[in-house]
Amino acid sequence: MRRLAPLCLALAAALLGCSSGSGPSEGGAPAGPSKTPVTSSGPAAKPQVTFGERLPIARYSYTADESAVIESAQQILAKRCLRTYGITYEPAQREAETSTSADRRYGLSSASEAARLGYHPDLGPLPAGPDLPKDALRVFYGNRGAEPGTAEKVVYKGREVPRNGCFGQSVAQLAKKYDAPEAAEIARAISTQSYQDSLTEPKVKEAFRNWSACMRSSGFRYTTPLEPANNREFQREDISAKEKETARADVRCKEKTDLLDIWFKAESALQKAEIDKNSKPLKDLLTAHRKKTEAARRIVAEG
């Protein structure tokens, strides 16, 4: 059965970007390259350059390689914690993720994905969880996700387990030492607000009108490229022929009107202006990222 996420949520994830952190409650700036898992089309599949990772604010996110080493360090810290409970755990080998899908910050941009998936996100396989017995998983995760004060304490062989388990503790351990949450929030706000503001830019609005006229010539009536993805008809589990046809026309009209490049340039200019206004905290964020990555590399080297 195909797993379906509402397309409006997929778009929200795209405009925020998602590769700033490396675990639950990780405090980074979500403005960089997407880490959405995808199904590779084979060994020859090549990563596509995404709009998200080319935007100016993306510089203040962790790179895929940095995220990978931080996640590896978190797993090693969790392994050490589990060992104190007498639990043997060997994390799976973690490599940087390389997406072969185009991101959807500006909606569909890939003709091949439009033809194959319509507006449905390419979710790919679910990541495998830790290979541990059920009782050991409670030590790994604790009461993750429960409201404070509402969940029973997890006890394993007479010892209390950290509220969010060994893994949650490992994430928090690195975050407490190295994260810069206020600076990260500034980067997040720039990423979100620049997208919203770009929708009112005259050149973008003109490109929307040209795109809409192109879509009408193909028999589709949409005012903006945000509308098709939120069509409830296209949020069903199955991908209809109409959805694919609409998606193909969508991408074709974006290419014909140069909408994606116009939109990207407009948002880039908005971001640059805000980055200039916030140069000090953003510089601090880069420093925090560097220190956290260096610390993670040391942990990984120690094993």
Side-chain angles (χ1 to χ4, degrees), residues 105-106 191-205 208 262-268 270:
R105 188 172 183 89
Y106 306 130
S191 177
T192 305
Q193 194 59 47
S194 65
Y195 179 89
Q196 297 297 333
D197 291 346
S198 71
L199 300 176
T200 64
E201 286 289 294
K203 289 185 178 180
V204 174
K205 292 171 72 174
F208 281 7
I262 291 169
W263 198 347
F264 171 77
K265 287 178 178 176
E267 187 177 14
S268 293
L270 291 167

mmCIF file with all atom_site columns, all heavy atoms in Angstrom, residues 105-106 191-205 208 262-268 270:
data_model
loop_
_atom_site.group_PDB
_atom_site.id
_atom_site.type_symbol
_atom_site.label_atom_id
_atom_site.label_alt_id
_atom_site.label_comp_id
_atom_site.label_asym_id
_atom_site.label_entity_id
_atom_site.label_seq_id
_atom_site.pdbx_PDB_ins_code
_atom_site.Cartn_x
_atom_site.Cartn_y
_atom_site.Cartn_z
_atom_site.occupancy
_atom_site.B_iso_or_equiv
_atom_site.pdbx_formal_charge
_atom_site.auth_seq_id
_atom_site.auth_comp_id
_atom_site.auth_asym_id
_atom_site.auth_atom_id
_atom_site.pdbx_PDB_model_num
ATOM 1   N N   . ARG A 1 105 ? 10.345 22.988 -3.171  1.00 0.00 ? 105 ARG A N   1
ATOM 2   C CA  . ARG A 1 105 ? 10.166 24.297 -2.545  1.00 0.00 ? 105 ARG A CA  1
ATOM 3   C C   . ARG A 1 105 ? 9.232  25.162 -3.385  1.00 0.00 ? 105 ARG A C   1
ATOM 4   O O   . ARG A 1 105 ? 8.422  25.917 -2.864  1.00 0.00 ? 105 ARG A O   1
ATOM 5   C CB  . ARG A 1 105 ? 11.503 24.988 -2.348  1.00 0.00 ? 105 ARG A CB  1
ATOM 6   C CG  . ARG A 1 105 ? 11.391 26.279 -1.525  1.00 0.00 ? 105 ARG A CG  1
ATOM 7   C CD  . ARG A 1 105 ? 12.740 26.840 -1.177  1.00 0.00 ? 105 ARG A CD  1
ATOM 8   N NE  . ARG A 1 105 ? 12.654 28.029 -0.348  1.00 0.00 ? 105 ARG A NE  1
ATOM 9   C CZ  . ARG A 1 105 ? 12.607 28.047 0.978   1.00 0.00 ? 105 ARG A CZ  1
ATOM 10  N NH1 . ARG A 1 105 ? 12.632 26.901 1.637   1.00 0.00 ? 105 ARG A NH1 1
ATOM 11  N NH2 . ARG A 1 105 ? 12.530 29.167 1.668   1.00 0.00 ? 105 ARG A NH2 1
ATOM 12  N N   . TYR A 1 106 ? 9.361  25.052 -4.692  1.00 0.00 ? 106 TYR A N   1
ATOM 13  C CA  . TYR A 1 106 ? 8.504  25.807 -5.598  1.00 0.00 ? 106 TYR A CA  1
ATOM 14  C C   . TYR A 1 106 ? 7.528  24.885 -6.324  1.00 0.00 ? 106 TYR A C   1
ATOM 15  O O   . TYR A 1 106 ? 7.129  25.132 -7.449  1.00 0.00 ? 106 TYR A O   1
ATOM 16  C CB  . TYR A 1 106 ? 9.358  26.581 -6.607  1.00 0.00 ? 106 TYR A CB  1
ATOM 17  C CG  . TYR A 1 106 ? 10.402 27.460 -5.952  1.00 0.00 ? 106 TYR A CG  1
ATOM 18  C CD1 . TYR A 1 106 ? 11.724 27.420 -6.351  1.00 0.00 ? 106 TYR A CD1 1
ATOM 19  C CD2 . TYR A 1 106 ? 10.057 28.326 -4.904  1.00 0.00 ? 106 TYR A CD2 1
ATOM 20  C CE1 . TYR A 1 106 ? 12.682 28.217 -5.739  1.00 0.00 ? 106 TYR A CE1 1
ATOM 21  C CE2 . TYR A 1 106 ? 11.011 29.117 -4.285  1.00 0.00 ? 106 TYR A CE2 1
ATOM 22  C CZ  . TYR A 1 106 ? 12.321 29.055 -4.701  1.00 0.00 ? 106 TYR A CZ  1
ATOM 23  O OH  . TYR A 1 106 ? 13.266 29.844 -4.085  1.00 0.00 ? 106 TYR A OH  1
ATOM 24  N N   . SER A 1 191 ? 14.247 31.674 6.280   1.00 0.00 ? 191 SER A N   1
ATOM 25  C CA  . SER A 1 191 ? 13.859 30.673 5.285   1.00 0.00 ? 191 SER A CA  1
ATOM 26  C C   . SER A 1 191 ? 12.349 30.667 5.059   1.00 0.00 ? 191 SER A C   1
ATOM 27  O O   . SER A 1 191 ? 11.877 30.588 3.925   1.00 0.00 ? 191 SER A O   1
ATOM 28  C CB  . SER A 1 191 ? 14.321 29.289 5.733   1.00 0.00 ? 191 SER A CB  1
ATOM 29  O OG  . SER A 1 191 ? 13.908 28.305 4.818   1.00 0.00 ? 191 SER A OG  1
ATOM 30  N N   . THR A 1 192 ? 11.593 30.761 6.140   1.00 0.00 ? 192 THR A N   1
ATOM 31  C CA  . THR A 1 192 ? 10.133 30.719 6.028   1.00 0.00 ? 192 THR A CA  1
ATOM 32  C C   . THR A 1 192 ? 9.570  32.016 5.475   1.00 0.00 ? 192 THR A C   1
ATOM 33  O O   . THR A 1 192 ? 8.747  32.015 4.557   1.00 0.00 ? 192 THR A O   1
ATOM 34  C CB  . THR A 1 192 ? 9.508  30.437 7.405   1.00 0.00 ? 192 THR A CB  1
ATOM 35  O OG1 . THR A 1 192 ? 10.078 29.239 7.937   1.00 0.00 ? 192 THR A OG1 1
ATOM 36  C CG2 . THR A 1 192 ? 7.999  30.276 7.301   1.00 0.00 ? 192 THR A CG2 1
ATOM 37  N N   . GLN A 1 193 ? 10.035 33.146 6.025   1.00 0.00 ? 193 GLN A N   1
ATOM 38  C CA  . GLN A 1 193 ? 9.479  34.439 5.631   1.00 0.00 ? 193 GLN A CA  1
ATOM 39  C C   . GLN A 1 193 ? 9.838  34.803 4.199   1.00 0.00 ? 193 GLN A C   1
ATOM 40  O O   . GLN A 1 193 ? 9.024  35.397 3.475   1.00 0.00 ? 193 GLN A O   1
ATOM 41  C CB  . GLN A 1 193 ? 9.963  35.537 6.585   1.00 0.00 ? 193 GLN A CB  1
ATOM 42  C CG  . GLN A 1 193 ? 9.176  36.840 6.457   1.00 0.00 ? 193 GLN A CG  1
ATOM 43  C CD  . GLN A 1 193 ? 7.689  36.650 6.742   1.00 0.00 ? 193 GLN A CD  1
ATOM 44  O OE1 . GLN A 1 193 ? 7.326  36.023 7.730   1.00 0.00 ? 193 GLN A OE1 1
ATOM 45  N NE2 . GLN A 1 193 ? 6.831  37.172 5.878   1.00 0.00 ? 193 GLN A NE2 1
ATOM 46  N N   . SER A 1 194 ? 11.038 34.427 3.773   1.00 0.00 ? 194 SER A N   1
ATOM 47  C CA  . SER A 1 194 ? 11.436 34.768 2.407   1.00 0.00 ? 194 SER A CA  1
ATOM 48  C C   . SER A 1 194 ? 10.535 34.063 1.396   1.00 0.00 ? 194 SER A C   1
ATOM 49  O O   . SER A 1 194 ? 10.215 34.634 0.344   1.00 0.00 ? 194 SER A O   1
ATOM 50  C CB  . SER A 1 194 ? 12.906 34.386 2.162   1.00 0.00 ? 194 SER A CB  1
ATOM 51  O OG  . SER A 1 194 ? 13.097 32.984 2.233   1.00 0.00 ? 194 SER A OG  1
ATOM 52  N N   . TYR A 1 195 ? 10.130 32.866 1.719   1.00 0.00 ? 195 TYR A N   1
ATOM 53  C CA  . TYR A 1 195 ? 9.215  32.146 0.831   1.00 0.00 ? 195 TYR A CA  1
ATOM 54  C C   . TYR A 1 195 ? 7.875  32.872 0.765   1.00 0.00 ? 195 TYR A C   1
ATOM 55  O O   . TYR A 1 195 ? 7.342  33.119 -0.322  1.00 0.00 ? 195 TYR A O   1
ATOM 56  C CB  . TYR A 1 195 ? 9.021  30.716 1.319   1.00 0.00 ? 195 TYR A CB  1
ATOM 57  C CG  . TYR A 1 195 ? 8.059  29.914 0.472   1.00 0.00 ? 195 TYR A CG  1
ATOM 58  C CD1 . TYR A 1 195 ? 8.510  29.194 -0.632  1.00 0.00 ? 195 TYR A CD1 1
ATOM 59  C CD2 . TYR A 1 195 ? 6.704  29.884 0.764   1.00 0.00 ? 195 TYR A CD2 1
ATOM 60  C CE1 . TYR A 1 195 ? 7.626  28.472 -1.419  1.00 0.00 ? 195 TYR A CE1 1
ATOM 61  C CE2 . TYR A 1 195 ? 5.815  29.172 -0.012  1.00 0.00 ? 195 TYR A CE2 1
ATOM 62  C CZ  . TYR A 1 195 ? 6.275  28.468 -1.101  1.00 0.00 ? 195 TYR A CZ  1
ATOM 63  O OH  . TYR A 1 195 ? 5.391  27.764 -1.882  1.00 0.00 ? 195 TYR A OH  1
ATOM 64  N N   . GLN A 1 196 ? 7.340  33.207 1.924   1.00 0.00 ? 196 GLN A N   1
ATOM 65  C CA  . GLN A 1 196 ? 6.054  33.908 1.955   1.00 0.00 ? 196 GLN A CA  1
ATOM 66  C C   . GLN A 1 196 ? 6.136  35.246 1.231   1.00 0.00 ? 196 GLN A C   1
ATOM 67  O O   . GLN A 1 196 ? 5.244  35.604 0.453   1.00 0.00 ? 196 GLN A O   1
ATOM 68  C CB  . GLN A 1 196 ? 5.599  34.113 3.407   1.00 0.00 ? 196 GLN A CB  1
ATOM 69  C CG  . GLN A 1 196 ? 5.346  32.842 4.183   1.00 0.00 ? 196 GLN A CG  1
ATOM 70  C CD  . GLN A 1 196 ? 4.207  32.024 3.600   1.00 0.00 ? 196 GLN A CD  1
ATOM 71  O OE1 . GLN A 1 196 ? 3.309  32.559 2.966   1.00 0.00 ? 196 GLN A OE1 1
ATOM 72  N NE2 . GLN A 1 196 ? 4.244  30.721 3.818   1.00 0.00 ? 196 GLN A NE2 1
ATOM 73  N N   . ASP A 1 197 ? 7.215  35.983 1.470   1.00 0.00 ? 197 ASP A N   1
ATOM 74  C CA  . ASP A 1 197 ? 7.362  37.300 0.839   1.00 0.00 ? 197 ASP A CA  1
ATOM 75  C C   . ASP A 1 197 ? 7.558  37.182 -0.669  1.00 0.00 ? 197 ASP A C   1
ATOM 76  O O   . ASP A 1 197 ? 7.138  38.069 -1.428  1.00 0.00 ? 197 ASP A O   1
ATOM 77  C CB  . ASP A 1 197 ? 8.539  38.054 1.452   1.00 0.00 ? 197 ASP A CB  1
ATOM 78  C CG  . ASP A 1 197 ? 8.279  38.485 2.891   1.00 0.00 ? 197 ASP A CG  1
ATOM 79  O OD1 . ASP A 1 197 ? 7.104  38.442 3.322   1.00 0.00 ? 197 ASP A OD1 1
ATOM 80  O OD2 . ASP A 1 197 ? 9.242  38.860 3.591   1.00 0.00 ? 197 ASP A OD2 1
ATOM 81  N N   . SER A 1 198 ? 8.185  36.102 -1.103  1.00 0.00 ? 198 SER A N   1
ATOM 82  C CA  . SER A 1 198 ? 8.428  35.941 -2.540  1.00 0.00 ? 198 SER A CA  1
ATOM 83  C C   . SER A 1 198 ? 7.119  35.843 -3.321  1.00 0.00 ? 198 SER A C   1
ATOM 84  O O   . SER A 1 198 ? 7.069  36.201 -4.504  1.00 0.00 ? 198 SER A O   1
ATOM 85  C CB  . SER A 1 198 ? 9.285  34.696 -2.798  1.00 0.00 ? 198 SER A CB  1
ATOM 86  O OG  . SER A 1 198 ? 8.549  33.493 -2.570  1.00 0.00 ? 198 SER A OG  1
ATOM 87  N N   . LEU A 1 199 ? 6.062  35.368 -2.659  1.00 0.00 ? 199 LEU A N   1
ATOM 88  C CA  . LEU A 1 199 ? 4.772  35.221 -3.334  1.00 0.00 ? 199 LEU A CA  1
ATOM 89  C C   . LEU A 1 199 ? 4.178  36.555 -3.748  1.00 0.00 ? 199 LEU A C   1
ATOM 90  O O   . LEU A 1 199 ? 3.312  36.606 -4.624  1.00 0.00 ? 199 LEU A O   1
ATOM 91  C CB  . LEU A 1 199 ? 3.788  34.479 -2.426  1.00 0.00 ? 199 LEU A CB  1
ATOM 92  C CG  . LEU A 1 199 ? 4.180  33.065 -1.996  1.00 0.00 ? 199 LEU A CG  1
ATOM 93  C CD1 . LEU A 1 199 ? 3.162  32.506 -1.015  1.00 0.00 ? 199 LEU A CD1 1
ATOM 94  C CD2 . LEU A 1 199 ? 4.312  32.150 -3.202  1.00 0.00 ? 199 LEU A CD2 1
ATOM 95  N N   . THR A 1 200 ? 4.633  37.639 -3.118  1.00 0.00 ? 200 THR A N   1
ATOM 96  C CA  . THR A 1 200 ? 4.091  38.966 -3.434  1.00 0.00 ? 200 THR A CA  1
ATOM 97  C C   . THR A 1 200 ? 5.041  39.793 -4.296  1.00 0.00 ? 200 THR A C   1
ATOM 98  O O   . THR A 1 200 ? 4.737  40.936 -4.613  1.00 0.00 ? 200 THR A O   1
ATOM 99  C CB  . THR A 1 200 ? 3.790  39.740 -2.131  1.00 0.00 ? 200 THR A CB  1
ATOM 100 O OG1 . THR A 1 200 ? 5.014  39.967 -1.416  1.00 0.00 ? 200 THR A OG1 1
ATOM 101 C CG2 . THR A 1 200 ? 2.821  38.965 -1.253  1.00 0.00 ? 200 THR A CG2 1
ATOM 102 N N   . GLU A 1 201 ? 6.183  39.221 -4.672  1.00 0.00 ? 201 GLU A N   1
ATOM 103 C CA  . GLU A 1 201 ? 7.120  39.937 -5.528  1.00 0.00 ? 201 GLU A CA  1
ATOM 104 C C   . GLU A 1 201 ? 6.508  40.121 -6.926  1.00 0.00 ? 201 GLU A C   1
ATOM 105 O O   . GLU A 1 201 ? 5.967  39.168 -7.500  1.00 0.00 ? 201 GLU A O   1
ATOM 106 C CB  . GLU A 1 201 ? 8.434  39.173 -5.646  1.00 0.00 ? 201 GLU A CB  1
ATOM 107 C CG  . GLU A 1 201 ? 9.305  39.242 -4.408  1.00 0.00 ? 201 GLU A CG  1
ATOM 108 C CD  . GLU A 1 201 ? 9.896  40.632 -4.233  1.00 0.00 ? 201 GLU A CD  1
ATOM 109 O OE1 . GLU A 1 201 ? 10.706 41.053 -5.075  1.00 0.00 ? 201 GLU A OE1 1
ATOM 110 O OE2 . GLU A 1 201 ? 9.523  41.301 -3.245  1.00 0.00 ? 201 GLU A OE2 1
ATOM 111 N N   . PRO A 1 202 ? 6.579  41.344 -7.489  1.00 0.00 ? 202 PRO A N   1
ATOM 112 C CA  . PRO A 1 202 ? 5.947  41.607 -8.795  1.00 0.00 ? 202 PRO A CA  1
ATOM 113 C C   . PRO A 1 202 ? 6.376  40.636 -9.894  1.00 0.00 ? 202 PRO A C   1
ATOM 114 O O   . PRO A 1 202 ? 5.535  40.161 -10.672 1.00 0.00 ? 202 PRO A O   1
ATOM 115 C CB  . PRO A 1 202 ? 6.399  43.040 -9.111  1.00 0.00 ? 202 PRO A CB  1
ATOM 116 C CG  . PRO A 1 202 ? 6.617  43.663 -7.767  1.00 0.00 ? 202 PRO A CG  1
ATOM 117 C CD  . PRO A 1 202 ? 7.160  42.559 -6.905  1.00 0.00 ? 202 PRO A CD  1
ATOM 118 N N   . LYS A 1 203 ? 7.662  40.330 -9.981  1.00 0.00 ? 203 LYS A N   1
ATOM 119 C CA  . LYS A 1 203 ? 8.124  39.424 -11.037 1.00 0.00 ? 203 LYS A CA  1
ATOM 120 C C   . LYS A 1 203 ? 7.584  38.012 -10.844 1.00 0.00 ? 203 LYS A C   1
ATOM 121 O O   . LYS A 1 203 ? 7.283  37.316 -11.818 1.00 0.00 ? 203 LYS A O   1
ATOM 122 C CB  . LYS A 1 203 ? 9.648  39.410 -11.089 1.00 0.00 ? 203 LYS A CB  1
ATOM 123 C CG  . LYS A 1 203 ? 10.258 40.698 -11.636 1.00 0.00 ? 203 LYS A CG  1
ATOM 124 C CD  . LYS A 1 203 ? 11.771 40.571 -11.763 1.00 0.00 ? 203 LYS A CD  1
ATOM 125 C CE  . LYS A 1 203 ? 12.366 41.839 -12.364 1.00 0.00 ? 203 LYS A CE  1
ATOM 126 N NZ  . LYS A 1 203 ? 13.845 41.741 -12.488 1.00 0.00 ? 203 LYS A NZ  1
ATOM 127 N N   . VAL A 1 204 ? 7.464  37.600 -9.585  1.00 0.00 ? 204 VAL A N   1
ATOM 128 C CA  . VAL A 1 204 ? 6.921  36.267 -9.303  1.00 0.00 ? 204 VAL A CA  1
ATOM 129 C C   . VAL A 1 204 ? 5.428  36.232 -9.639  1.00 0.00 ? 204 VAL A C   1
ATOM 130 O O   . VAL A 1 204 ? 4.941  35.273 -10.254 1.00 0.00 ? 204 VAL A O   1
ATOM 131 C CB  . VAL A 1 204 ? 7.162  35.876 -7.838  1.00 0.00 ? 204 VAL A CB  1
ATOM 132 C CG1 . VAL A 1 204 ? 6.478  34.552 -7.509  1.00 0.00 ? 204 VAL A CG1 1
ATOM 133 C CG2 . VAL A 1 204 ? 8.656  35.781 -7.552  1.00 0.00 ? 204 VAL A CG2 1
ATOM 134 N N   . LYS A 1 205 ? 4.715  37.280 -9.276  1.00 0.00 ? 205 LYS A N   1
ATOM 135 C CA  . LYS A 1 205 ? 3.279  37.336 -9.572  1.00 0.00 ? 205 LYS A CA  1
ATOM 136 C C   . LYS A 1 205 ? 3.033  37.343 -11.080 1.00 0.00 ? 205 LYS A C   1
ATOM 137 O O   . LYS A 1 205 ? 2.108  36.701 -11.576 1.00 0.00 ? 205 LYS A O   1
ATOM 138 C CB  . LYS A 1 205 ? 2.654  38.568 -8.914  1.00 0.00 ? 205 LYS A CB  1
ATOM 139 C CG  . LYS A 1 205 ? 2.631  38.469 -7.386  1.00 0.00 ? 205 LYS A CG  1
ATOM 140 C CD  . LYS A 1 205 ? 2.206  39.779 -6.744  1.00 0.00 ? 205 LYS A CD  1
ATOM 141 C CE  . LYS A 1 205 ? 0.746  40.067 -6.932  1.00 0.00 ? 205 LYS A CE  1
ATOM 142 N NZ  . LYS A 1 205 ? 0.325  41.281 -6.170  1.00 0.00 ? 205 LYS A NZ  1
ATOM 143 N N   . PHE A 1 208 ? 3.564  33.883 -12.272 1.00 0.00 ? 208 PHE A N   1
ATOM 144 C CA  . PHE A 1 208 ? 2.386  33.083 -11.938 1.00 0.00 ? 208 PHE A CA  1
ATOM 145 C C   . PHE A 1 208 ? 1.290  33.286 -13.000 1.00 0.00 ? 208 PHE A C   1
ATOM 146 O O   . PHE A 1 208 ? 0.636  32.328 -13.423 1.00 0.00 ? 208 PHE A O   1
ATOM 147 C CB  . PHE A 1 208 ? 1.845  33.473 -10.563 1.00 0.00 ? 208 PHE A CB  1
ATOM 148 C CG  . PHE A 1 208 ? 2.589  32.887 -9.395  1.00 0.00 ? 208 PHE A CG  1
ATOM 149 C CD1 . PHE A 1 208 ? 3.758  32.173 -9.575  1.00 0.00 ? 208 PHE A CD1 1
ATOM 150 C CD2 . PHE A 1 208 ? 2.113  33.067 -8.097  1.00 0.00 ? 208 PHE A CD2 1
ATOM 151 C CE1 . PHE A 1 208 ? 4.452  31.639 -8.503  1.00 0.00 ? 208 PHE A CE1 1
ATOM 152 C CE2 . PHE A 1 208 ? 2.797  32.533 -7.006  1.00 0.00 ? 208 PHE A CE2 1
ATOM 153 C CZ  . PHE A 1 208 ? 3.959  31.816 -7.210  1.00 0.00 ? 208 PHE A CZ  1
ATOM 154 N N   . ILE A 1 262 ? 12.860 32.526 -12.067 1.00 0.00 ? 262 ILE A N   1
ATOM 155 C CA  . ILE A 1 262 ? 12.399 33.851 -11.613 1.00 0.00 ? 262 ILE A CA  1
ATOM 156 C C   . ILE A 1 262 ? 12.101 33.822 -10.120 1.00 0.00 ? 262 ILE A C   1
ATOM 157 O O   . ILE A 1 262 ? 12.496 34.717 -9.370  1.00 0.00 ? 262 ILE A O   1
ATOM 158 C CB  . ILE A 1 262 ? 11.144 34.272 -12.412 1.00 0.00 ? 262 ILE A CB  1
ATOM 159 C CG1 . ILE A 1 262 ? 11.518 34.555 -13.871 1.00 0.00 ? 262 ILE A CG1 1
ATOM 160 C CG2 . ILE A 1 262 ? 10.473 35.482 -11.770 1.00 0.00 ? 262 ILE A CG2 1
ATOM 161 C CD1 . ILE A 1 262 ? 10.313 34.710 -14.783 1.00 0.00 ? 262 ILE A CD1 1
ATOM 162 N N   . TRP A 1 263 ? 11.414 32.785 -9.694  1.00 0.00 ? 263 TRP A N   1
ATOM 163 C CA  . TRP A 1 263 ? 11.032 32.649 -8.284  1.00 0.00 ? 263 TRP A CA  1
ATOM 164 C C   . TRP A 1 263 ? 12.265 32.487 -7.409  1.00 0.00 ? 263 TRP A C   1
ATOM 165 O O   . TRP A 1 263 ? 12.398 33.137 -6.363  1.00 0.00 ? 263 TRP A O   1
ATOM 166 C CB  . TRP A 1 263 ? 10.112 31.443 -8.155  1.00 0.00 ? 263 TRP A CB  1
ATOM 167 C CG  . TRP A 1 263 ? 9.284  31.382 -6.909  1.00 0.00 ? 263 TRP A CG  1
ATOM 168 C CD1 . TRP A 1 263 ? 9.417  32.129 -5.770  1.00 0.00 ? 263 TRP A CD1 1
ATOM 169 C CD2 . TRP A 1 263 ? 8.170  30.507 -6.679  1.00 0.00 ? 263 TRP A CD2 1
ATOM 170 N NE1 . TRP A 1 263 ? 8.479  31.772 -4.843  1.00 0.00 ? 263 TRP A NE1 1
ATOM 171 C CE2 . TRP A 1 263 ? 7.689  30.784 -5.381  1.00 0.00 ? 263 TRP A CE2 1
ATOM 172 C CE3 . TRP A 1 263 ? 7.551  29.526 -7.437  1.00 0.00 ? 263 TRP A CE3 1
ATOM 173 C CZ2 . TRP A 1 263 ? 6.613  30.097 -4.827  1.00 0.00 ? 263 TRP A CZ2 1
ATOM 174 C CZ3 . TRP A 1 263 ? 6.464  28.840 -6.888  1.00 0.00 ? 263 TRP A CZ3 1
ATOM 175 C CH2 . TRP A 1 263 ? 6.002  29.129 -5.604  1.00 0.00 ? 263 TRP A CH2 1
ATOM 176 N N   . PHE A 1 264 ? 13.181 31.635 -7.851  1.00 0.00 ? 264 PHE A N   1
ATOM 177 C CA  . PHE A 1 264 ? 14.407 31.406 -7.095  1.00 0.00 ? 264 PHE A CA  1
ATOM 178 C C   . PHE A 1 264 ? 15.221 32.701 -6.942  1.00 0.00 ? 264 PHE A C   1
ATOM 179 O O   . PHE A 1 264 ? 15.712 33.016 -5.853  1.00 0.00 ? 264 PHE A O   1
ATOM 180 C CB  . PHE A 1 264 ? 15.250 30.337 -7.785  1.00 0.00 ? 264 PHE A CB  1
ATOM 181 C CG  . PHE A 1 264 ? 16.627 30.173 -7.220  1.00 0.00 ? 264 PHE A CG  1
ATOM 182 C CD1 . PHE A 1 264 ? 16.827 29.488 -6.029  1.00 0.00 ? 264 PHE A CD1 1
ATOM 183 C CD2 . PHE A 1 264 ? 17.730 30.712 -7.868  1.00 0.00 ? 264 PHE A CD2 1
ATOM 184 C CE1 . PHE A 1 264 ? 18.105 29.342 -5.492  1.00 0.00 ? 264 PHE A CE1 1
ATOM 185 C CE2 . PHE A 1 264 ? 19.001 30.563 -7.351  1.00 0.00 ? 264 PHE A CE2 1
ATOM 186 C CZ  . PHE A 1 264 ? 19.190 29.892 -6.163  1.00 0.00 ? 264 PHE A CZ  1
ATOM 187 N N   . LYS A 1 265 ? 15.373 33.456 -8.004  1.00 0.00 ? 265 LYS A N   1
ATOM 188 C CA  . LYS A 1 265 ? 16.149 34.703 -7.949  1.00 0.00 ? 265 LYS A CA  1
ATOM 189 C C   . LYS A 1 265 ? 15.482 35.727 -7.033  1.00 0.00 ? 265 LYS A C   1
ATOM 190 O O   . LYS A 1 265 ? 16.162 36.445 -6.286  1.00 0.00 ? 265 LYS A O   1
ATOM 191 C CB  . LYS A 1 265 ? 16.333 35.268 -9.352  1.00 0.00 ? 265 LYS A CB  1
ATOM 192 C CG  . LYS A 1 265 ? 17.313 34.483 -10.200 1.00 0.00 ? 265 LYS A CG  1
ATOM 193 C CD  . LYS A 1 265 ? 17.425 35.049 -11.610 1.00 0.00 ? 265 LYS A CD  1
ATOM 194 C CE  . LYS A 1 265 ? 18.451 34.279 -12.431 1.00 0.00 ? 265 LYS A CE  1
ATOM 195 N NZ  . LYS A 1 265 ? 18.501 34.758 -13.840 1.00 0.00 ? 265 LYS A NZ  1
ATOM 196 N N   . ALA A 1 266 ? 14.158 35.794 -7.093  1.00 0.00 ? 266 ALA A N   1
ATOM 197 C CA  . ALA A 1 266 ? 13.437 36.744 -6.242  1.00 0.00 ? 266 ALA A CA  1
ATOM 198 C C   . ALA A 1 266 ? 13.607 36.393 -4.769  1.00 0.00 ? 266 ALA A C   1
ATOM 199 O O   . ALA A 1 266 ? 13.869 37.265 -3.930  1.00 0.00 ? 266 ALA A O   1
ATOM 200 C CB  . ALA A 1 266 ? 11.957 36.751 -6.617  1.00 0.00 ? 266 ALA A CB  1
ATOM 201 N N   . GLU A 1 267 ? 13.464 35.112 -4.443  1.00 0.00 ? 267 GLU A N   1
ATOM 202 C CA  . GLU A 1 267 ? 13.616 34.720 -3.045  1.00 0.00 ? 267 GLU A CA  1
ATOM 203 C C   . GLU A 1 267 ? 15.062 34.868 -2.587  1.00 0.00 ? 267 GLU A C   1
ATOM 204 O O   . GLU A 1 267 ? 15.326 35.243 -1.436  1.00 0.00 ? 267 GLU A O   1
ATOM 205 C CB  . GLU A 1 267 ? 13.133 33.292 -2.815  1.00 0.00 ? 267 GLU A CB  1
ATOM 206 C CG  . GLU A 1 267 ? 13.140 32.948 -1.331  1.00 0.00 ? 267 GLU A CG  1
ATOM 207 C CD  . GLU A 1 267 ? 12.619 31.577 -0.988  1.00 0.00 ? 267 GLU A CD  1
ATOM 208 O OE1 . GLU A 1 267 ? 12.463 30.730 -1.889  1.00 0.00 ? 267 GLU A OE1 1
ATOM 209 O OE2 . GLU A 1 267 ? 12.378 31.334 0.215   1.00 0.00 ? 267 GLU A OE2 1
ATOM 210 N N   . SER A 1 268 ? 15.998 34.574 -3.450  1.00 0.00 ? 268 SER A N   1
ATOM 211 C CA  . SER A 1 268 ? 17.419 34.721 -3.099  1.00 0.00 ? 268 SER A CA  1
ATOM 212 C C   . SER A 1 268 ? 17.728 36.161 -2.704  1.00 0.00 ? 268 SER A C   1
ATOM 213 O O   . SER A 1 268 ? 18.440 36.416 -1.730  1.00 0.00 ? 268 SER A O   1
ATOM 214 C CB  . SER A 1 268 ? 18.304 34.300 -4.277  1.00 0.00 ? 268 SER A CB  1
ATOM 215 O OG  . SER A 1 268 ? 18.196 32.921 -4.526  1.00 0.00 ? 268 SER A OG  1
ATOM 216 N N   . LEU A 1 270 ? 15.652 38.372 -1.495  1.00 0.00 ? 270 LEU A N   1
ATOM 217 C CA  . LEU A 1 270 ? 15.019 38.635 -0.198  1.00 0.00 ? 270 LEU A CA  1
ATOM 218 C C   . LEU A 1 270 ? 15.869 38.058 0.933   1.00 0.00 ? 270 LEU A C   1
ATOM 219 O O   . LEU A 1 270 ? 16.066 38.700 1.976   1.00 0.00 ? 270 LEU A O   1
ATOM 220 C CB  . LEU A 1 270 ? 13.619 38.026 -0.164  1.00 0.00 ? 270 LEU A CB  1
ATOM 221 C CG  . LEU A 1 270 ? 12.563 38.675 -1.061  1.00 0.00 ? 270 LEU A CG  1
ATOM 222 C CD1 . LEU A 1 270 ? 11.329 37.788 -1.168  1.00 0.00 ? 270 LEU A CD1 1
ATOM 223 C CD2 . LEU A 1 270 ? 12.180 40.060 -0.533  1.00 0.00 ? 270 LEU A CD2 1
#
